[in-house]
Amino acid sequence: MSIVREVFGYSSRNEAIYSYTIVNGNGTTMKLIELGAALQSLKVADREGRFEDVVLGYDNSKQYESGNGFYLGVVVGRSANRIKDGRFMIKGKSYQLEKNDGPNNLHSGSDGYSSRRWEGQIVDDERGQAVCFSIISPDGDQGMPGRLDLSVTYILTEDDSVILEYEGVAGEDTIVNPTNHSYFNLAGHSSGTIYGQKVWIDADEFTPSDEGLIPTGEYRSVSGTPLDFRAAKTIGQDINSDYEQLVRAGGYDHNYVLKNNGNVELVASLEDEKSGRYMEVYTDMPGMQLYTGNFLSGKVRGKDDCYYSKGGGVCFESQYFPDSVNNMAFESPVVSAGVPFEYVTIYKFSVR
Ligand code: BGC
């Protein structure tokens, strides 16, 4: 068991970017970096005890800083996913964010926390070995109201759980909707597509979206649709169906309505039957975006000089629903000034 801190690279401002490599008693190895508070690599064993890196990522800090619009492994904030027209109101005041996805705001714009340096620190935690990354986002940052002090702590436990704990406090009522944008591929990050891997999601409903991938406000039953993952099935089984929602998004890129009632509960899983690697997702957030890497272009140069193509990884992004700040049908992502908040998401690995 160990944590090693070393220089990963330098930012464009010439600040040192540190990485933290944590190894547990099973040999599971998690590497985190300060840019985007990213999960840069995660090596977990298969049935035979062979380790493979199961998350997509980059080898150098430049690519993390430029982001490339793919958000490999990073923490997205202040607000994950889309806000319609980049506009919203809080307490009668209107705010305008950058429109970086057609007319809409995606992942808080080009100056997201996902491409900034967070301050890393090794911390004590009884659950495992832990690193806490903190960021201070001033009032008006990205066009958002109020200062936000945010941290995300990653904990690697001895039972191969990666716990992500988001904590903080805001200076004014503001949106706080962070997520981790890791793309998982349980056969290995450079092994090709995830279409043969099996997903299960404990959700009876999803929130259909319009042409700009903004939810309409409807809650739709997954029953009889290709979005039904209540019985585990391969991602590829129905992904090419002509169901309008899938065609529109070029695959799965949808928010599921979770049934956890604000408690940290098992909400989804991913399984690679060949290697036996199995991952469970737990969260207390109300929604989860299933995103099957539809926009990965094949031109994305990743770790070990490999190229990531469409479907090269799958994201399970715990979140408040997209555009929930504008949609009265959805739970609000707005936290109150001075009231501490905490959200938890866990990715737990095992073999079957
Ligand atoms: C969104 C996708 C977007 C992707 C960017 C996901 O969270 O749902 O629509 O293209 O992030 O990598």
Side-chain angles (χ1 to χ4, degrees):
M1 284 167 37
S2 62
I3 305 187
V4 173
R5 175 179 185 264
E6 59 200 345
V7 174
F8 179 76
Y10 290 87
S11 72
S12 52
R13 292 191 208 138
N14 220 25
E15 305 156 294
I17 304 298
Y18 285 91
S19 68
Y20 298 81
T21 306
I22 305 182
V23 186
N24 74 7
N26 306 322
T28 302
T29 304
M30 169 168 87
K31 187 166 178 177
L32 309 166
I33 60 167
E34 289 181 320
L35 267 176
L39 174 56
Q40 193 262 347
S41 111
L42 182 63
K43 293 178 180 150
V44 300
D46 70 1
R47 226 184 258 125
E48 320 293 336
R50 282 182 302 237
F51 285 85
E52 223 27 277
D53 185 353
V54 297
V55 292
L56 277 55
Y58 300 118
D59 282 323
N60 63 74
S61 46
K62 258 200 203 85
Q63 282 177 292
Y64 280 102
E65 218 178 4
S66 68
N68 289 339
F70 301 112
Y71 302 90
L72 303 186
V74 293
V75 172
V76 173
R78 189 176 296 196
S79 184
N81 211 281
R82 290 177 177 79
I83 294 178
K84 188 173 166 58
D85 300 324
R87 199 172 26 217
F88 61 91
M89 303 242 311
I90 291 181
K91 286 191 157 169
K93 216 176 142 192
S94 167
Y95 296 89
Q96 181 67 56
L97 312 178
E98 184 188 347
K99 298 177 178 179
N100 64 324
D101 187 58
N104 303 318
N105 178 272
L106 173 63
H107 295 327
S108 308
S110 53
D111 190 18
Y113 303 167
S114 47
S115 53
R116 296 188 199 173
R117 181 179 162 268
W118 298 53
E119 183 82 34
Q121 199 188 355
I122 297 170
V123 292
D124 284 333
D125 195 291
E126 59 199 17
R127 292 163 293 179
Q129 302 176 88
V131 178
C132 175
F133 295 94
S134 321
I135 198 164
I136 295 171
S137 173
D139 182 15
D141 194 11
Q142 304 166 331
M144 294 277 187
R147 169 181 161 135
L148 177 66
D149 291 63
L150 177 66
S151 71
V152 56
T153 303
Y154 285 81
I155 305 152
L156 177 63
T157 70
E158 286 305 308
D159 71 351
D160 291 334
S161 294
V162 175
I163 303 174
L164 283 93
E165 223 162 51
Y166 304 90
E167 287 172 285
V169 66
E172 283 176 43
D173 292 11
T174 191
I175 304 176
V176 181
N177 185 17
T179 195
N180 177 279
H181 206 288
S182 286
Y183 293 73
F184 296 94
N185 185 330
L186 296 184
H189 77 102
S190 58
S191 66
T193 73
I194 39 68
Y195 299 137
Q197 297 177 28
K198 273 188 164 170
V199 164
W200 167 82
I201 302 175
D202 189 23
D204 301 326
E205 293 172 309
F206 73 105
T207 53
S209 44
D210 68 14
E211 295 77 13
L213 302 186
I214 300 286
T216 58
E218 180 189 347
Y219 288 71
R220 189 180 295 174
S221 169
V222 295
S223 193
T225 80
L227 282 95
D228 191 349
F229 282 96
R230 291 173 299 181
K233 66 176 179 188
T234 63
I235 295 172
Q237 183 177 311
D238 297 326
I239 201 169
N240 292 319
S241 115
D242 59 4
Y243 191 64
E244 190 189 31
Q245 285 290 315
L246 284 189
V247 175
R248 190 169 276 171
Y252 294 100
D253 191 353
H254 294 86
N255 172 64
Y256 282 84
V257 179
L258 302 179
K259 299 188 285 186
N260 52 9
N261 290 319
N263 302 310
V264 181
E265 280 181 14
L266 176 63
V267 297
S269 68
L270 177 67
E271 180 178 9
D272 176 38
E273 285 180 325
K274 263 198 210 135
S275 65
R277 289 193 192 89
Y278 180 65
M279 179 181 91
E280 292 174 321
V281 184
Y282 298 76
T283 190
D284 57 0
M285 301 216 59
M288 188 189 74
Q289 190 86 3
L290 175 70
Y291 173 57
T292 48
N294 313 328
F295 297 109
L296 290 173
S297 64
K299 296 198 178 89
V300 192
R301 184 178 176 161
K303 292 179 283 193
D304 312 327
D305 290 333
C306 74
Y307 286 84
Y308 298 132
S309 300
K310 181 169 180 171
V314 53
C315 305
F316 298 88
E317 302 161 62
S318 53
Q319 59 181 4
Y320 285 98
F321 299 0
D323 199 37
S324 47
V325 70
N326 288 316
N327 206 316
M328 291 309 130
F330 299 160
E331 186 176 334
S332 168
V334 175
V335 302
S336 302
V339 180
F341 57 83
E342 184 184 327
Y343 314 117
V344 179
T345 295
I346 303 170
Y347 299 111
K348 181 173 192 298
F349 295 85
S350 57
V351 286
R352 284 187 143 188

